[in-house]
Amino acid sequence: MTIRNPIEWATDQLKFAGQVVGSASRAGIATEDLDTRLPEVSSIRIADLGDVLARGLDDFAAYRTDVIFLCIVYPVVGLVLGRLAFGYGMLPLLFPLASGFALIGPFAALGLYEMSRRREQGGNVAWPDAFGVIGSRSFGAIIILGLLLVAIFLFWLVAAESIYEFTLGPEPPASIGSFARDVFTTGAGWTMIVVGVGVGFLFALLVLVISVVSFPLLLDRDVGLGAAVWTSVRAVILNPGPMAVWGLIVAGGLVIGSIPLFLGLIIVMPVLGHATWHLYRKVVPR
């Protein structure tokens, strides 16, 4: 067996994702039943984000046992990714792997959106209800959009690996200490930080624009993938300030949740996930 570099691995995964996208698009979208009207988009204020977070926290408090059970997977996945980074000489990709939660988070939180949606309707909610997403008429479109976020995540890893190779690479670091020293005490290390943060910001901005309300919208209405993404884009254009602050809140929350061995994600992810549903409700009125 040989250990492939991230670029080769990502290429293979993207090919596989393309095959799955083709299957999902054929199986899951009934275009003749779509609501062809574009949803209206409302303006919100930065102050509204406080109410959004409060409602997300309230949902978490109401079902904390259920959502903690659902979200225990996030720190587990994070620890596995960290182990892979250390075990296979991929230490430079540890931070890109951790920060990648922000890129795939909107897709990973699908079950949380569904729980908030069902609570809003007044029903009794438990963790199995999170899997009600599978029965959605827009499930095919949801899968396609989710795979798009996975592809963006893989491209981010490729970009991060390339940035490392052009600055501190191409040789892998000899140890954690030497890597930290090279990153924080050399010009090449600071170049890697500045360029990496800048490129990562562009990836995060792309995901925010196309997904901030599109997943909840697809769960709530049968509007089609294109309309959902375009509604998300319109929501960001109409509310640039609040959406920028929301992006910072999400990024900051995920960073804080990842620091203590990713355990904080057990709380951060469900609160942000539930809050995203309520953000959708404010931005896209019924």
Side-chain angles (χ1 to χ4, degrees), residues 271-286:
V271 172
L272 291 176
H274 289 308
T276 298
W277 172 263
H278 296 291
L279 175 67
Y280 157 71
R281 275 292 183 227
K282 284 188 176 293
V283 175
V284 183
R286 291 187 179 89

Side-chain angles (χ1 to χ4, degrees), residues 52-71 112 115-116 119 264-275 278:
V52 164
L53 290 171
R55 291 174 181 268
L57 188 60
D58 184 60
D59 283 353
F60 171 72
Y63 304 111
R64 58 182 178 273
T65 302
D66 295 282
V67 297
I68 286 175
F69 175 77
L70 283 173
C71 295
L112 300 169
M115 293 179 72
S116 288
R119 187 190 186 202
L265 293 176
I266 297 175
I267 296 176
V268 171
M269 278 296 297
V271 172
L272 291 176
H274 289 308
H278 296 291

Side-chain angles (χ1 to χ4, degrees), residues 92-132:
L93 290 182
L94 180 58
F95 176 76
L97 284 167
S99 61
F101 276 113
L103 302 180
I104 59 176
F107 183 43
L110 273 172
L112 300 169
Y113 309 151
E114 179 66 7
M115 293 179 72
S116 288
R117 186 182 73 86
R118 295 195 178 204
R119 187 190 186 202
E120 186 180 83
Q121 295 173 346
N124 293 322
V125 180
W127 69 265
D129 293 313
F131 296 96

